Amino acid sequence: MSAPEAKGGVAVLASGEGTNLQALIDAAARDGLSRIELVVSDRGEAQALVRARTAGIPAIHLSPANWSTRAAYDQALADLLAERGIALVVLAGFMRILDADVVRRFAGRMLNIHPSLLPRHRGLRTHRRALEAGDRLHGSTVHFVVPELDAGPAILQYRIAIQPWDTLTGLAERVRHGEHFIYPLAVRWWLQGRLSCTDGQAHLDGKPLVAPLVATRDMAPIPG
Ligand code: GRF
């Protein structure tokens, strides 16, 4: 495996349980590449903070209550990331829509994972909406973040077939299982200098990603 480019550290922003954070921590322990140098949460009770501290990663609760406006909070968050020399910002269940200026400051350096096959089902309650719509396929998408919500260039999708017996919680669990595979992979590609985004176009290994790469249940068709 080739060494990553010296690009600086990774920060993970998370508001909740942090299972994707855990997958990233575990992947870093395995591959030695995906160094996570900081975890930030807007919620003090987030399990993600506990997971980070358990792994010996600096973990900060940045409470929105301490700033008078959303933009001021987002600016403080961006300043913190910059001060820590963070190169890549990984949103892993961070339940806030970031200010457009902050997103632009990290253009090409901010990833998100969204639990649907984008562009289908942007926003919240994606599993319920997929079930209610009678979708045949569902899954999750890793994408670069742009100011418009869940609209950035897609990189990698995990796709599964919805089964007649799927329940809301069962479906969510199956999707999340796949997220734990695709997110560390995308982060690794970025750190290796293989993945980039310029002028709204994602590239992998120098080639434009005209459509996201797809992982299925057997995880076979992905390079790298
Ligand atoms: C995931 O389903 C992810 O797609 C979405 O938020 C959830 C985070 O889960 N953005 P966890 O906190 O990583 O377990």
Side-chain angles (χ1 to χ4, degrees):
M1 189 180 294
S2 60
E5 291 188 347
K7 282 186 165 189
V10 176
V12 178
L13 311 189
S15 302
E17 220 186 307
T19 65
N20 278 282
L21 167 66
Q22 191 64 55
L24 292 162
I25 292 170
D26 295 345
R30 278 196 308 272
D31 68 18
L33 295 181
S34 325
R35 308 148 291 155
I36 300 169
E37 295 187 357
L38 182 65
V39 171
V40 182
S41 182
D42 56 325
R43 294 180 56 235
E45 67 276 26
Q47 184 64 18
L49 290 172
V50 176
R51 292 179 190 272
R53 289 178 186 132
T54 303
I57 299 167
I60 295 177
H61 170 215
L62 205 65
S63 172
N66 295 337
W67 281 267
S68 55
T69 64
R70 169 173 287 274
Y73 175 85
D74 288 1
Q75 204 53 55
L77 173 59
D79 289 345
L80 171 68
L81 297 170
E83 274 159 28
R84 301 286 179 115
I86 296 303
L88 178 67
V89 181
V90 177
L91 307 183
F94 190 59
M95 299 305 287
R96 293 176 63 86
I97 298 171
L98 288 168
D99 190 69
D101 285 343
V102 169
V103 171
R104 279 191 282 267
R105 191 162 157 187
F106 287 93
R109 302 192 291 128
M110 187 180 278
L111 300 177
N112 183 41
I113 191 159
H114 179 78
S116 79
L117 298 177
L118 290 171
R120 203 157 167 73
H121 305 312
R122 292 176 183 171
L124 298 173
R125 297 188 305 281
T126 56
H127 306 307
R128 180 180 296 282
R129 285 156 65 201
L131 283 173
E132 285 175 358
D135 290 356
R136 212 170 49 79
L137 289 175
H138 187 47
S140 193
T141 306
V142 179
H143 63 95
F144 282 103
V145 177
V146 297
E148 193 185 340
L149 183 67
D150 301 329
I155 300 159
L156 185 54
Q157 287 188 331
Y158 175 67
R159 286 188 196 166
I160 52 172
I162 293 185
Q163 303 296 344
W165 54 84
D166 262 323
T167 60
L168 194 54
T169 47
L171 183 61
E173 200 174 306
R174 292 204 295 131
V175 168
R176 207 170 288 192
H177 171 74
E179 293 187 332
H180 298 164
F181 171 72
I182 61 171
Y183 216 5
L185 193 53
V187 168
R188 195 170 81 207
W189 287 343
W190 193 94
L191 289 170
Q192 289 172 320
R194 296 176 58 190
L195 177 65
S196 62
C197 185
T198 38
D199 298 330
Q201 174 67 61
H203 288 80
L204 183 67
D205 295 332
K207 296 191 197 89
L209 280 172
V210 286
L213 291 161
V214 176
T216 52
R217 220 168 67 84
D218 61 9
M219 308 296 186
I222 303 179

